[in-house]
Amino acid sequence: MSKEYFFTSESVSEGHPDKVADQISDAVLDACLTHDPDSRVACETLVGKNLVVLAGEISSKHKPNYEEIVRTTLKKIGYSKDFPGIDPESCTVLININKQASEISQGVDRGNDKVGAGDQGMMFGYATNETEEYLPVTLALSHRILKELARLRHENVVEWLLPDAKSQVTVKYVDDKPAYIDTIVVSTQHLKSINQQQIKEFIKKHVIENGDIIPQNLLKQDYTLHVNPTGDFTDGGPITDVGLTGRKIIVDTYGGAAPHGGGAFSGKDYTKVDRSAAYITRYAAKNVVAAGLADRCTIQVSYAIGVTEPISIMVDTHGTGKYDDDKISRAVKKVFDFSPKGIIDTLQLKRPVYSKTASYGHFGRTDVDFTWEKTDKIGELRDLLYK
């Protein structure tokens, strides 16, 4: 008997309040790393009605102009005083930034070129061969929809699209393989000058039934499309909903298809294993799948604060492995260095590349700065397993 089920993932746009907060936090991190690659940063952001609050702990040789970073980031996203959301020119910016606690720094900077984990916890990496992004098809397509809407908006193809948006894709699976798209939901902020029928017709024609965005062979003939299902969506962004750094961790990772350790990414420097270990486990899992060793792979790693090596490493191929998980796990541990220092060096994490990770997911990207997306370890893994 075949196994059948529906699975859903969502994505949110760069103008969503939580993503606005993530982008500001990562812009602060990048500003510090640009001038001092050894900066220690933990920056949290709250955005509300014409208000931005920055709080956290930063130890760096460089003191950023926090207010300028906030206003520049808001403008880059596309917010302005011309429509409801948040006004980059007039919004209030409150700053409460302190130095990193010495008890944490002494555990991280261990001397002798060693780095201790910046926190305890467990992190997960995942990959699947469902899509060219090595992401679940539900999440990959949700991201693609919103990235296309952002492109249309930034390039002024249409004038009525505004920054805040969400998407959701539901797929029918048969025997753990995507069979067809059942339902798509798109909610997008817009100007008052356009009606809902026009919005739906445009999105259907130019995004959903655009073969460059959605594989048309996956679209069920009578698929359901909901566009702005509650009606008008003219007020959006922080004016209608408070945003906080780290509230979209499932959008950031695997759309609910894999476990999450609970730690957010944005605003954290590379010594925080919530972020860096999630990147290295993704790197390892993606190479396992890209090497053809499994159709799906989940890797968990855990750390103790201040300790220079991981506490545990687990590999699970969900019954799809071409070899026993124990054998694949041994190969993974030989090829990849999961120590905090090893992760930083392998993935070149001292570079100021984090702002671009803060919207449309940290994984499945083709940008060369996303070093954890490379598949350059395929040969080493195969050599170890083919012996």
Side-chain angles (χ1 to χ4, degrees):
M1 182 180 292
S2 63
K3 176 184 177 184
E4 300 183 4
Y5 57 91
F6 291 91
F7 190 78
T8 302
S9 296
E10 73 160 351
S11 182
V12 299
S13 73
E14 65 205 65
H16 184 281
D18 293 329
K19 280 287 132 197
V20 172
D22 284 344
Q23 288 166 90
I24 292 171
S25 292
D26 271 338
V28 170
L29 171 60
D30 279 350
C32 291
L33 294 178
T34 296
H35 299 277
D36 179 7
D38 294 318
S39 296
R40 299 290 181 260
V41 178
C43 180
E44 309 290 343
T45 303
L46 176 148
V47 295
K49 187 175 181 179
N50 234 30
L51 171 70
V52 178
V53 179
L54 292 185
E57 302 79 43
I58 296 178
S59 294
S60 177
K61 296 175 184 176
H62 174 69
K63 184 177 180 180
N65 185 329
Y66 297 113
E67 185 170 333
E68 181 181 329
I69 290 170
V70 168
R71 300 188 190 283
T72 299
T73 302
L74 292 173
K75 291 175 185 175
K76 183 178 179 181
I77 292 168
Y79 282 110
S80 73
K81 64 181 180 181
D82 296 327
F83 58 84
I86 189 169
D87 183 355
E89 301 292 347
S90 67
C91 68
T92 299
V93 180
L94 302 179
I95 300 164
N96 185 12
I97 301 290
N98 302 294
K99 287 191 175 183
Q100 183 186 70
S102 59
E103 286 146 342
I104 294 177
S105 61
Q106 71 186 7
V108 173
D109 301 311
R110 301 301 300 271
N112 298 319
D113 203 31
K114 291 185 177 181
V115 176
D119 203 351
Q120 71 174 48
M122 65 285 187
M123 299 82 207
F124 293 88
Y126 178 76
T128 172
N129 60 9
E130 289 178 19
T131 61
E132 62 186 21
E133 295 97 331
Y134 291 89
L135 290 177
V137 66
T138 49
L139 180 64
L141 298 185
S142 295
H143 285 328
R144 289 183 199 176
I145 290 168
L146 293 186
K147 283 191 281 189
E148 179 62 9
L149 288 179
R151 184 191 71 80
L152 293 168
R153 175 171 60 86
H154 284 297
E155 295 181 5
N156 295 313
V157 176
V158 290
E159 76 287 345
W160 49 264
L161 279 169
L162 298 181
D164 195 359
K166 301 178 76 172
S167 64
Q168 184 174 287
V169 176
T170 299
V171 167
K172 172 74 173 288
Y173 281 75
V174 177
D175 293 332
D176 292 325
K177 301 291 185 183
Y180 59 80
I181 297 168
D182 182 78
T183 304
I184 297 174
V185 183
V186 181
S187 295
T188 182
Q189 187 188 11
H190 59 89
L191 291 174
K192 295 180 181 180
S193 58
I194 188 167
N195 64 51
Q196 295 305 312
Q197 187 59 35
Q198 290 173 301
I199 295 172
K200 183 170 183 177
E201 289 175 358
F202 179 88
I203 289 176
K204 181 177 181 179
K205 178 180 179 180
H206 295 280
V207 181
I208 306 305
E209 295 184 357
N210 177 347
D212 293 332
I213 310 300
I214 305 292
Q216 298 302 288
N217 65 306
L218 274 181
L219 268 183
K220 183 183 176 184
Q221 187 172 6
D222 58 345
Y223 75 95
T224 299
L225 174 63
H226 296 291
V227 176
N228 290 351
T230 62
D232 289 346
F233 182 9
T234 56
D235 291 341
I239 198 173
T240 60
D241 187 16
V242 169
L244 291 170
T245 300
R247 280 208 302 200
K248 286 293 177 281
I249 57 177
I250 300 304
V251 172
D252 285 343
T253 53
Y254 307 106
H260 195 295
F265 300 161
S266 290
K268 296 178 180 178
D269 71 72
Y270 47 80
T271 65
K272 277 70 171 179
V273 284
D274 278 338
R275 182 171 215 159
S276 58
Y279 289 174
I280 196 72
T281 49
R282 161 63 175 182
Y283 182 39
K286 184 176 180 180
N287 275 269
V288 167
V289 175
L293 305 179
D295 294 334
R296 292 190 292 144
C297 181
T298 299
I299 297 178
Q300 186 209 55
V301 63
S302 68
Y303 297 87
I305 189 168
V307 178
T308 59
E309 295 292 335
I311 302 301
S312 66
I313 301 171
M314 182 276 295
V315 176
D316 180 6
T317 62
H318 308 279
T320 70
K322 306 305 185 285
Y323 300 88
D324 290 340
D325 284 353
D326 286 345
K327 190 170 183 180
I328 294 175
S329 179
R330 286 194 294 272
V332 164
K333 291 174 185 177
K334 286 183 178 179
V335 172
F336 299 93
D337 187 346
F338 292 92
S339 70
K341 176 69 164 56
I343 298 171
I344 294 166
D345 292 345
T346 299
L347 300 180
Q348 304 166 20
L349 295 182
K350 291 189 177 186
R351 299 165 301 132
V353 298
Y354 297 99
S355 293
K356 64 179 76 176
T357 71
S359 53
Y360 310 116
H362 291 243
F363 309 123
R365 311 284 286 275
T366 57
D367 191 307
V368 294
D369 284 330
F370 289 66
T371 51
W372 48 92
E373 290 298 306
K374 294 188 296 184
T375 53
D376 56 342
K377 300 298 183 181
I378 290 174
E380 291 180 55
L381 287 169
R382 286 175 175 168
D383 287 346
L384 287 169
L385 285 160
Y386 290 175
K387 286 181 179 178

